[in-house]
Amino acid sequence: MTDNGQPRRHGGTPTSAEVAESLAARRRAERGERRRSPDAPPERHLDDTEAKRSERVIATWFIVAFLAGVAFLVLYWIFPAGGPINAGVSNKLLGGCLTLILMSLAIGVMLWVKRLMPNKEMVDERHEFRSSDEDRREFGEYFVDTAESTQITKRPLLRRTLLLAAAPLGLLPLWLLRDMGPLPKKDMFTQPWRKGMRMVLAGTQDSDSPRLLKLTDITDFGSAISAVPEGITDFNQIATAALLVIRLRPDEIQGTRRGALQRKASVNGICAFSKICTHAGCPISLYQQRTHELLCPCHQSTFDMSDGAKVVFGPAVRPLPQLPITVDKDGYLVANAKYFINGPVGPSFWERGPDRNTNG
Amino acid sequence: MQDPTKKLLAGTGKALDDRFGGAAGLKKQMKKLFPDHWSFMLGEIALYSFVVLLLTGVFLTFFFKPSMQEVVYHGSYANLDGLRMSEAYKSTIDLSFDVRGGLLMRQIHHWAALLFVAAIMVHMMRIFFTGAFRKPREVNWLIGITLFTLAMLEGFAGYTLPDDLLSGVGLRIFVSVVFEAIPIVGTYLLFFTFGGPFPDGLQGDFIPRLFIVHVLLVPGILLALIGAHMLIMWHQKHTVWASRKQTNRNTVGFPFFPHFIAKTTAFFMFVFGALALLATFAQINPIWMYGPYNPVDVTAGAQPDWYIGILEGGLRIMPGVESVFLGHTIPWNTLIPALIVPGLLFTFMALYPFFEKWATGDNSEHHVLNRPRNVPTRTGIGVAWLAAYMILLIAGGNDIIAKTFSLSFNTITWIFRFAIFLGPVIAFVVTKRICIGLQRKEEHLLHEGVETGVIKRLPTGGYEETTRTPSPELLGRLETNRPDVPEDMPALTDGRGVEARNGIVKRLRVSAQRWYTQDNVARGAHGDGHAEERGEVEPGAQRPELTGGRTSD
């Protein structure tokens, strides 16, 4: 309803006022003029003193931007980089100047728009995108006629051999990408542990004196130590070989089938499990001695370390694989097999299939 | 008396036109009108963050070394001295600490990436809830969805390049849940992408490959798509908000030159300035604190950048399910949250305009925006989608929530497991009810006027509240944008003019059409939805004459 209570008309024949307006619009368009918006705010009339004042205000912001810019150029030379302290100071100064330059410019230009530029809100006609029926028909006819003139419609042999020629070309990039890497082969199932291999405290494998783990080193029942195979520093191998070594009191290992297997693979209550989460491959790290629960910090998969690392919560499905270990004659902890129980280690993949004791 | 500036400009213009022509066309383009409404700035924020990303990114490439070559650090940051690390990590540390302005550029770059994705998302919310994706703008909607997806990938690639511990663990998860989870070809994809096994392949190929994807391939596609997005927008012109002055047949606003160009330049400076301010005072991604990547270590409480949060949340709340099928493993616990759910969410959004067109049968051109309340079903769907998105995003921080509020993360995870199914449904119902309530309020305003709170005592002893007529702007807004009721909808015919009533698909379509409009408040209804009960409208009576809705927009 409009103000005067008459229903508004939408479809159908336009009212005389609408016709008049549309004619006027067309005349204006021919003259290159446009209608001002009816509800537009009143146009600004620039008062000379007012304009002068605005000019000075805007110019002040531009001068601030200029000074900040000069400060940036100078401070760059005065404050050197080198180390976190210097970088921090330099960052604050240069960043502060840059912020000031950009913000002052933004404010200056915005004030210019608001105070000095014409604020005439305008109206333009909008036309339907659809071309006229005639144009569409002409285009279609031209297209079809021309296509026919190339003989493509009449010569199926041409068409088919052209498509045939394109087919291998499309596959070519796939072929070319083949040498980006080797085939997986058995790589996903292999890991570097071998029977009798000693354990090195993770993080010391690169140093001049890698720290080998002895049975007597692991006295604490609450600790969880990361270990890697002796002599191996390559990340690809460490990514599958990393262990988490924990110690349980013999009576803490549960009497389940899993527990029995776990006890058999351990020595003196010391168990070595794969550190790589069977969910998404994060190295697991948060061990709670009281509950024997091991928590993956990435997605909170929780494993019961007193029951063969069975999953008790979270998105993981499979228990952490366990490496059978023993003690050699010198008292060092060593691998007692060349496979993980319930391997291969790490997250699932298509070729994995059921659990198996993988060797490598 | 000729002003030298004017003379110079005129001279340049003449010289250019002599050689290229174009004054006639440009004359028209310079007068192109841009509407003046804050909601149109959201896309500009995305655009300008992208420009900032290009500018700072070029600077970073001059110092970053995309190499997995192992080096021992002896630089200016003593805490890392003697550590083995990749050249990628070392060069990122060096450009942060030893290059003047390096840290600033890196931090602006990272903040701009976060803002870029966020601005795209908020911009798309505006487009969705106002129906700006409708014909003729469906193609730009599809480009927008593609840009959003690419922006996420591009961000993740950039986040991974420094080869620090945090991003390395993120990459390890990505490899597990994307490559390894995909049936049949997953392992091959992993080996081809990395040039061997994770993380280093045989030759350390991954970081150099990722670098070229991050600085050339994806930005190239982004640039081309953004260009297309803007050309289409320019050609189709902006949508307008419904009011008395804005209709489906006009555009209202300020000319490109000088008004819009000046304002948008100022806005670019503002976006850049805000990012510079963040980079100056808000530290982001301090990779020197995480250390270089190694496959044994992990940081607790680690969080990815915000736009990866929906994947992270899905992974956390998905229960452990996998199947072994003919000797092959399908890890549903990673496949579903990392690929299937986001795939469905994004595909649904991409196809939504076409679904709505199919459901409503509305194939006409739309340039006037809907107010979200007037299309409650669409608004409900959008809020339900956002609810799913937000629940997954928040679930990605379940450990942080558990720690902050001293709750068990098991409980929180279970809450999220239910919430992801219930949340969107509740969000849909509640949103739809709120929209209809707002429609009733407006219908009431139109018929009863604005309440004044002044009670008048009538000579007969009764009481009555005096009302006043709504302001012209409000009235204009209410009148020009009304909800559609079933009677407004185009008849769903089978092409020969026969109403579509037979066949499952056709019947589905008829119900879908009703689903979009049947709960809307009819024009002329009393505003509280109880007109029939009071006997003011005869039950089943002809609805009042159509005024507004379809034909007016």
Side-chain angles (χ1 to χ4, degrees), chain B residues 456-502:
Chain B
K456 221 167 47 181
R457 187 167 176 186
L458 300 175
T460 53
Y463 291 93
E464 182 183 88
E465 187 185 6
T466 45
T467 55
R468 61 181 167 76
T469 324
S471 67
E473 292 86 47
L474 181 61
L475 214 53
R477 201 163 66 217
L478 298 186
E479 281 172 352
T480 47
N481 193 346
R482 307 287 296 279
D484 289 326
V485 287
E487 287 75 8
D488 302 338
M489 304 309 285
L492 298 172
T493 56
D494 63 0
R496 289 193 211 89
V498 181
E499 267 208 58
R501 290 256 178 247
N502 307 316

Side-chain angles (χ1 to χ4, degrees), chain A residues 1-3 7-8 10-11 32 34-35 37-41 72 76-84 86-88 90-96 98-99 102-103 105-107 109-110 113 117-130 177-184 187-188 202 205-206 226-228 233-236 238-239 242-243 275-276 278-286 295 297-300 302 313-318 346-354 356, chain B residues 31 33 76-77 84 96-101 103-105 107-108 136-137 169 172-173 176-177 180-184 187-188 190-193 195-202 205 209 235-240 244-245 248-255 258-259 262-263 266 269-270 272-274 276-277 279-281 293-301 312 315-316 318-322 324 327-331 333-334 365 367 398-399 409-410 413-414 417 475 479-480 547-548 551-552:
Chain A
M1 308 286 266
T2 52
D3 294 334
R8 294 194 319 137
H10 284 281
R34 309 196 257 199
R35 188 157 57 97
S37 163
D39 299 349
F72 186 107
Y76 182 91
W77 293 107
I78 295 179
F79 289 89
N86 285 343
S90 167
N91 186 59
K92 294 255 181 324
L93 293 172
L94 298 184
L98 183 62
T99 308
L102 293 165
M103 288 295 193
L105 276 173
I107 295 171
V109 175
M110 215 53 228
V113 174
M117 285 192 195
N119 66 336
K120 268 203 281 189
E121 194 177 61
M122 314 290 273
V123 181
D124 259 353
E125 302 290 308
R126 194 200 288 272
H127 306 283
E128 214 182 353
F129 290 111
R130 191 183 189 285
L177 291 178
R178 163 61 191 89
D179 278 346
M180 281 184 72
L183 293 178
D187 272 27
M188 298 293 279
Q205 72 269 23
D206 297 328
S226 301
V228 295
T233 54
D234 173 40
F235 274 2
N236 291 335
I238 287 179
L243 296 179
K275 197 176 197 291
I276 310 303
T278 56
H279 172 233
C282 286
I284 304 190
S285 63
L286 307 170
L295 175 75
C298 291
H299 307 107
Q300 289 85 42
T302 313
F313 189 77
V317 178
R318 293 178 289 101
S348 299
F349 50 96
W350 172 251
E351 294 89 349
R352 186 181 186 278
R356 62 190 98 175
Chain B
K31 291 185 188 170
L33 296 183
S76 62
Y77 187 56
R84 288 202 316 169
S96 303
F97 288 154
D98 301 329
V99 173
R100 280 168 286 187
L103 184 61
L104 184 66
M105 291 298 135
Q107 300 207 121
I108 294 180
R137 294 184 176 76
V169 173
R172 168 72 249 201
I173 298 170
S176 310
V177 303
E180 293 186 32
I182 297 175
I184 305 171
T187 318
Y188 292 87
L190 164 63
F191 271 65
F192 292 159
T193 311
F198 177 87
D200 284 351
L202 302 180
D205 283 327
R209 285 176 185 172
H235 176 66
Q236 295 184 328
K237 303 191 172 126
H238 282 74
T239 45
V240 293
R244 277 182 180 160
K245 60 182 173 181
N248 213 28
R249 285 277 155 265
N250 71 9
T251 56
V252 178
F254 295 90
H259 202 96
K263 255 174 54 172
M269 299 289 178
F270 179 73
F272 200 167
L277 185 70
T280 307
F281 295 107
Y293 176 68
N294 81 73
V296 184
D297 291 334
V298 67
T299 48
E312 179 79 4
L315 284 168
R316 288 179 183 206
M318 177 73 196
V321 186
E322 81 176 29
V324 178
H328 291 286
T329 304
I330 305 175
N333 55 347
T334 48
E365 241 182 70
H367 301 291
N398 65 350
D399 54 339
F409 69 78
N410 305 48
T413 304
W414 272 107
R417 282 174 180 176
L475 214 53
E479 281 172 352
T480 47
T547 57
T551 41
S552 70

Side-chain angles (χ1 to χ4, degrees), chain A residues 15-301:
Chain A
T15 62
S16 54
E18 277 168 11
V19 172
E21 173 51 37
S22 122
L23 286 174
R26 193 177 305 167
R27 278 197 301 277
R28 278 196 301 271
E30 280 161 7
R31 289 200 304 270
E33 294 170 10
R34 309 196 257 199
R35 188 157 57 97
R36 279 208 57 207
S37 163
D39 299 349
E43 213 174 311
R44 181 178 31 235
H45 293 287
L46 273 180
D47 165 339
D48 235 16
T49 33
E50 192 67 18
K52 262 256 163 359
R53 233 182 51 161
S54 298
E55 185 190 12
R56 277 196 296 270
V57 172
I58 297 163
T60 309
W61 282 107
F62 289 164
I63 287 168
V64 172
F66 166 78
L67 293 175
V70 172
F72 186 107
L73 299 177
V74 173
L75 292 172
Y76 182 91
W77 293 107
I78 295 179
F79 289 89
I85 307 286
N86 285 343
V89 172
S90 167
N91 186 59
K92 294 255 181 324
L93 293 172
L94 298 184
C97 289
L98 183 62
T99 308
L100 201 57
I101 298 169
L102 293 165
M103 288 295 193
S104 317
L105 276 173
I107 295 171
V109 175
M110 215 53 228
L111 285 174
W112 190 345
V113 174
K114 291 241 183 264
R115 298 219 184 147
L116 293 177
M117 285 192 195
N119 66 336
K120 268 203 281 189
E121 194 177 61
M122 314 290 273
V123 181
D124 259 353
E125 302 290 308
R126 194 200 288 272
H127 306 283
E128 214 182 353
F129 290 111
R130 191 183 189 285
S131 312
S132 70
D133 287 340
E134 197 188 342
D135 282 341
R136 282 186 175 211
R137 202 187 56 245
E138 278 173 15
F139 172 81
E141 278 166 8
Y142 176 78
F143 185 80
V144 172
D145 291 351
T146 315
E148 273 174 357
S149 74
T150 65
Q151 308 273 316
I152 190 161
T153 50
K154 289 177 203 153
R155 307 207 177 272
L157 183 65
L158 265 184
R159 266 196 332 254
R160 286 169 201 164
T161 47
L162 180 64
L163 283 177
L164 192 71
L169 196 63
L171 286 174
L172 210 120
L174 272 183
W175 256 242
L176 281 171
L177 291 178
R178 163 61 191 89
D179 278 346
M180 281 184 72
L183 293 178
K185 296 198 181 116
K186 288 275 157 226
D187 272 27
M188 298 293 279
F189 297 94
T190 57
Q191 50 80 25
W193 286 103
R194 295 294 174 270
K195 198 168 173 170
M197 221 176 219
R198 294 190 288 185
M199 291 178 196
V200 174
L201 183 70
T204 68
Q205 72 269 23
D206 297 328
S207 65
D208 300 329
S209 49
R211 181 132 175 257
L212 290 162
L213 291 181
K214 278 186 149 176
L215 181 70
T216 48
D217 288 340
I218 307 186
T219 50
D220 185 359
F221 287 97
S223 65
I225 295 170
S226 301
V228 295
E230 184 183 7
I232 291 193
T233 54
D234 173 40
F235 274 2
N236 291 335
Q237 299 204 39
I238 287 179
T240 56
L243 296 179
L244 199 74
V245 183
I246 56 164
R247 184 169 178 198
L248 297 156
R249 291 187 182 85
D251 60 322
E252 286 175 325
I253 300 179
Q254 294 186 19
T256 57
R257 197 181 59 83
R258 281 180 198 285
L261 271 172
Q262 179 182 356
R263 183 171 294 127
K264 223 177 120 192
S266 67
V267 52
N268 219 11
I270 299 173
C271 315
F273 285 94
S274 165
K275 197 176 197 291
I276 310 303
C277 184
T278 56
H279 172 233
C282 286
I284 304 190
S285 63
L286 307 170
Y287 179 57
Q288 251 196 340
Q289 185 204 352
R290 195 171 48 80
T291 56
H292 309 121
E293 280 180 1
L294 182 66
L295 175 75
C296 178
C298 291
H299 307 107
Q300 289 85 42
S301 292

